[in-house]
Amino acid sequence: MFRRREKRPFAEAVKETFWPRMGWRRAGRYWMHRVGRVPGTPYGISAGFASGVAMAMTPFMGVHFPLSIALAWLLRGSIAASLLGTLFGNPVTWPFIWLATYRLGCFVLHMHPGHGPMELSWHVLRHSAWQVVAPMTVGGFLSAALTWPLVFLVLRPLIARYKHHRIAASHQHPVLGHEPRPVGD
């Protein structure tokens, strides 16, 4: 029912991931509407979305969804919003996230970041993978701990305002599914 009539070529889908056809501003507004329409309270939505963004900072590819769901559940946030928040980690942002978390982890662990190209082989992975994994893990969880409150504090008032305006608009326009209420009820 909601599929395209003509399937989009794979190359076009990849291109649109990096450069949206509708433009960055419109794509951002679209995602803000998507987040605002997630059912729940402003606290639940913002806590869930912040959980997803925070877990996208960790280097554990493939477990961002379960980690964000667990954190959202612990904080009584929206699980749907947490899954949307994990989309912050994507092929465009991962190189920046990984570099930042690696550098932060090296700083905290008093390690010197590796210089120059590293040979990727089983020998290197077996004997020195911890030199990359440890700083990225420490830096990732520190970044998550710093990112969660920042995203939550920015998003909560925005979602509250969006939901308030959406409810007010639905009371003014019976076409949107609600009859106008008399003043004083």
Side-chain angles (χ1 to χ4, degrees):
M1 181 171 174
F2 294 109
R3 291 187 185 159
R4 295 174 173 266
R5 281 191 190 156
E6 298 171 14
K7 191 168 178 164
R8 190 167 50 162
F10 180 74
E12 185 180 329
V14 170
K15 179 184 151 204
E16 202 164 313
T17 300
F18 292 104
W19 196 266
R21 183 175 28 180
M22 66 177 79
W24 286 107
R25 177 177 283 162
R26 189 168 175 207
R29 290 181 69 207
Y30 170 77
W31 279 103
M32 189 59 198
H33 285 295
R34 293 286 303 257
V35 171
R37 289 179 179 159
V38 170
T41 64
Y43 169 83
I45 295 169
S46 52
F49 194 83
S51 298
V53 172
M55 290 301 106
M57 296 291 175
T58 63
F60 305 119
M61 299 274 301
V63 293
H64 288 153
F65 281 171
L67 288 174
S68 70
I69 289 170
L71 184 59
W73 182 78
L74 284 172
L75 298 173
R76 298 179 187 256
S78 168
I79 291 175
S82 73
L83 296 176
L84 281 174
T86 59
L87 296 176
F88 179 77
N90 59 60
V92 175
T93 60
W94 279 327
F96 301 107
I97 292 171
W98 292 337
L99 182 63
T101 58
Y102 176 70
R103 297 275 176 154
L104 178 62
C106 285
F107 176 76
V108 169
L109 296 174
H110 303 292
M111 295 173 67
H112 296 288
H115 298 287
M118 183 188 289
E119 176 189 342
L120 187 61
S121 66
W122 286 112
H123 177 75
V124 170
L125 289 174
R126 210 175 24 228
H127 296 294
S128 61
W130 192 245
Q131 291 178 349
V132 174
V133 173
M136 285 186 76
T137 302
V138 170
F141 280 109
L142 278 174
S143 296
L146 296 171
T147 302
W148 192 94
L150 179 69
V151 171
F152 177 80
L153 291 173
V154 168
L155 207 55
R156 187 174 182 184
L158 293 175
I159 291 174
R161 190 173 342 139
Y162 180 84
K163 287 202 175 270
H164 174 74
H165 287 301
R166 191 159 179 231
I167 289 170
S170 70
H171 292 309
Q172 293 174 357
H173 301 287
V175 176
L176 295 176
H178 298 286
E179 292 294 325
R181 292 184 183 170
V183 179
D185 279 345

